[in-house]
Amino acid sequence: LRSLLAAQLVAAKEGEEALALYDQLVQEQPWDTETLAGRAQAALLLGKNEQARQDAEALLRLEPGNASHQHLLALARGEQPKTQPEEKVKALFDRFASTFDVTLWRNLEYRVPQQVAGILLQAHPDRKFNLLDLGCGTGLVGACLGRIDGFIIGVDLSEEMIRKAALHNVYERFHNVNVLDALRETPKDHYEAITCCDVLVYVGDLSEVVPNALRILKPGGHFIFSCEAATEDEEDMVLRPTSRFAHKASAVQRLCEETGFESVEIEHLPQLRTEGGQPLPGFLVTARKSQG
């Protein structure tokens, strides 16, 4: 219970209280990797990078080669990794699956899937299209879209999320893989639409995502995705203390255009969702592939 409370305090950015709890837990069980990782996260939240570095090194002594621990060590050293470790993201959403819909829809006022469904139906009023839903989660895009005259394929790292998404009974099938592998392994000219909602905040580097999305879309197809917003005076991609990546809208637009998308529309969202009771800015991208 103390460990769960400490993790919730980190999520709420209550670093000092979380660190005090984790100090007690680590003293009692210095071999517990979950506790050590939690304390490292709390220390990072407070800017105590040296303590985070020591905990990350202790984690790697206990579990050498663990990608999540290596990620923590990189953060503690002041480095910016290009993406989140797959194991970390999977574990996060396996735990989050049971409360995901209520938390995002009601508590965090998250409405991006509804907006994306509207864009898809405007582009395909006859509902005749095939959709690849990357990072489908519990299937919110499919639920907002409803049945179409085509198939919806869901991709997600979390088996628990996929189980929830299947209950909507609108997805044709699911692939339990990460976004980059799904994109790499999909044949070209395969889908009329690709969606990716609140997923690239964990993927980070878009240099493989955007070109592969263009490749597997059919002519005239749309790639619709959301990002948390970095300001124009920040780097093109910034890792936030929340362990999510924010992207600069102008950089994303430039990447899409240079990759070869015919048109790129960006809708700036003053509130992508709330965080700590405050609006979290983001943007929604609709990138269209040329007809020929």
Side-chain angles (χ1 to χ4, degrees):
L1 287 174
R2 282 183 294 153
S3 181
L4 178 60
L5 175 59
Q8 290 174 336
L9 287 167
V10 169
K13 298 186 179 180
E14 299 290 344
E16 292 289 357
E17 291 182 57
L19 192 59
L21 266 179
Y22 277 127
D23 281 342
Q24 296 173 15
L25 292 163
V26 170
Q27 188 173 6
E28 294 167 14
Q29 297 182 333
W31 60 85
D32 185 83
T33 55
E34 185 176 345
T35 298
L36 277 168
R39 188 168 74 170
Q41 290 281 8
L44 285 171
L45 189 62
L46 295 168
K48 298 182 177 181
N49 285 33
E50 178 58 24
Q51 181 168 350
R53 183 189 65 78
Q54 292 175 11
D55 283 341
E57 289 175 347
L59 284 163
L60 284 167
R61 287 193 293 272
L62 290 166
E63 295 179 340
N66 183 290
S68 294
H69 305 338
Q70 291 171 341
H71 180 80
L72 273 176
L73 182 57
L75 294 178
R77 288 173 172 168
E79 302 166 8
Q80 178 168 286
K82 289 187 175 183
T83 191
Q84 290 275 19
E86 184 175 312
E87 300 87 345
K88 180 180 178 181
V89 175
K90 181 182 184 304
L92 171 66
F93 286 101
D94 277 346
R95 291 196 306 269
F96 197 21
S98 62
T99 59
F100 185 83
D101 290 355
V102 171
T103 300
L104 260 71
W105 203 261
R106 184 182 302 168
N107 299 352
L108 302 183
E109 302 176 24
Y110 177 65
R111 298 294 183 266
V112 170
Q114 194 174 43
Q115 293 172 271
V116 168
I119 294 169
L120 288 169
L121 293 177
Q122 186 175 18
H124 304 279
D126 58 1
R127 292 181 172 265
K128 292 183 178 180
F129 65 100
N130 297 318
L131 169 66
L132 177 64
D133 187 12
L134 295 170
C136 65
T138 58
L140 290 175
V141 168
C144 291
L145 190 60
R147 288 198 168 277
I148 61 173
D149 188 5
F151 53 79
I152 306 176
I153 305 300
V155 171
D156 207 277
L157 267 177
S158 167
E159 293 179 15
E160 295 302 318
M161 289 290 211
I162 287 174
R163 287 193 185 95
K164 296 276 286 185
L167 297 176
H168 294 300
N169 201 30
V170 295
Y171 288 82
E172 181 75 14
R173 62 181 180 274
F174 298 92
H175 297 294
N176 184 208
V177 296
N178 69 46
V179 165
L180 291 177
D181 285 344
L183 285 167
R184 292 187 196 108
E185 295 168 14
T186 300
K188 68 177 184 177
D189 301 333
H190 207 64
Y191 291 95
E192 282 81 11
I194 302 170
T195 53
C196 193
C197 300
D198 208 41
V199 176
L200 300 177
V201 294
Y202 300 101
V203 174
D205 185 9
L206 306 184
S207 61
E208 286 190 58
V209 174
V210 174
N212 272 298
L214 180 69
R215 178 182 62 80
I216 67 179
L217 280 171
K218 291 183 178 181
H222 295 85
F223 181 30
I224 307 169
F225 60 95
S226 65
C227 294
E228 290 187 15
T231 62
E232 286 300 310
D233 58 355
E234 291 182 290
E235 298 294 326
D236 290 352
M237 182 179 78
V238 182
L239 184 60
R240 299 295 193 210
T242 56
S243 295
R244 293 193 300 267
F245 290 96
H247 295 83
K248 189 188 294 184
S250 61
V252 172
Q253 180 161 7
R254 184 171 62 251
L255 174 61
C256 290
E257 291 172 345
E258 291 176 350
T259 298
F261 278 99
E262 182 179 62
S263 67
V264 183
E265 296 180 9
I266 293 185
E267 180 183 357
H268 293 275
L269 304 174
Q271 180 175 301
L272 183 69
R273 62 177 177 278
T274 62
E275 183 171 282
Q278 299 299 315
L280 179 72
F283 55 92
L284 188 60
V285 181
T286 303
R288 183 178 179 273
K289 185 173 180 175
S290 66
Q291 287 286 355

